[in-house]
Amino acid sequence: KMANRIGKYKVSKKESAISLVDGGVVTGAIIGGAHSVLAAAGETSTSTTDTETLASASIPANTLKAGNVLKIRAHGVVVNSNSSDTLTAAITFGGSTITSAAALDVANNDIVIFDTYITVRTSGGSGTMVANTKAMVDAPDGASGTGDIMASAALDTTSAQTIAFTSDWSSAHANNDFRAESLVVEII
């Protein structure tokens, strides 16, 4: 049986997620359920060579502990593309690029999918993390995929950290449109 309190916190279980609640405000980690879900279509990256954040989720300071795993699933769709302009989509966390799909010569209706796991190895101001990702592009003429592993990197768990789904185009053109369709972040 689950305890009703952990220290001063009330334990709340809702929809297979456990969170720490202090006076009605979620103050602690959400374990075993979605931490953040993109409920509607995210931003659309249009005609720019600057990296744009299409969707993001914030992990509050002091939420992550050694042994926590973040499961991130994101996908976006190419709404419109110009000629041979390439698209680079990525997942970043705490300012570090976790994974990036190589610059792709995409076509209209191509789908980019990231399935990422980040493991917190150590917590604190000098915390560390490792990650692995499966990135896939589902094109009308077939799917292609790559795997990516990130070696140990710094992660300050005492500060709020942002997970971002980003993109940029190789060339600015009015016909280059890529839209985030989903971003789901779970702490497991």
Side-chain angles (χ1 to χ4, degrees):
K1 184 175 175 179
M2 185 187 319
N4 289 332
R5 293 198 169 277
I6 298 176
K8 72 173 188 171
Y9 299 103
K10 176 182 172 189
V11 177
S12 171
K13 184 171 183 187
K14 183 177 180 183
E15 298 177 21
S16 300
I18 299 171
S19 56
L20 302 178
V21 181
D22 185 9
V25 176
V26 175
T27 58
I30 298 174
I31 308 295
H35 172 72
S36 180
V37 178
L38 185 60
E43 296 295 319
T44 300
S45 170
T46 57
S47 68
T48 182
T49 58
D50 296 331
T51 299
E52 292 184 285
T53 298
L54 306 178
S56 65
S58 180
I59 305 295
N62 300 309
T63 297
L64 298 174
K65 306 296 181 211
N68 283 146
V69 175
L70 289 107
K71 181 180 177 183
I72 305 162
R73 179 103 171 146
H75 91 274
V77 65
V78 177
V79 178
N80 204 1
S81 63
N82 177 56
S83 184
S84 61
D85 292 350
T86 60
L87 171 72
T88 302
I91 299 291
T92 64
F93 180 49
S96 297
T97 298
I98 302 300
T99 188
S100 177
L104 302 166
D105 183 5
V106 292
N108 295 357
N109 300 314
D110 280 1
I111 299 169
V112 177
I113 301 168
F114 289 108
D115 195 7
T116 302
Y117 291 84
I118 300 170
T119 302
V120 178
R121 289 278 171 90
T122 57
S123 56
S126 299
T128 58
M129 65 179 167
V130 294
N132 67 75
T133 297
K134 179 179 173 185
M136 189 171 86
V137 176
D138 187 15
D141 58 351
S144 65
T146 62
D148 198 9
I149 296 174
M150 184 184 82
S152 186
L155 174 65
D156 181 358
T157 63
T158 64
S159 297
Q161 299 293 344
T162 300
I163 296 168
F165 182 17
T166 68
S167 71
D168 68 71
W169 289 94
S170 62
S171 179
H173 192 280
N175 286 342
N176 287 338
D177 298 319
F178 179 70
R179 181 179 61 236
E181 290 293 339
S182 72
L183 174 64
V184 177
V185 177
E186 293 178 273
I187 301 172
I188 54 176

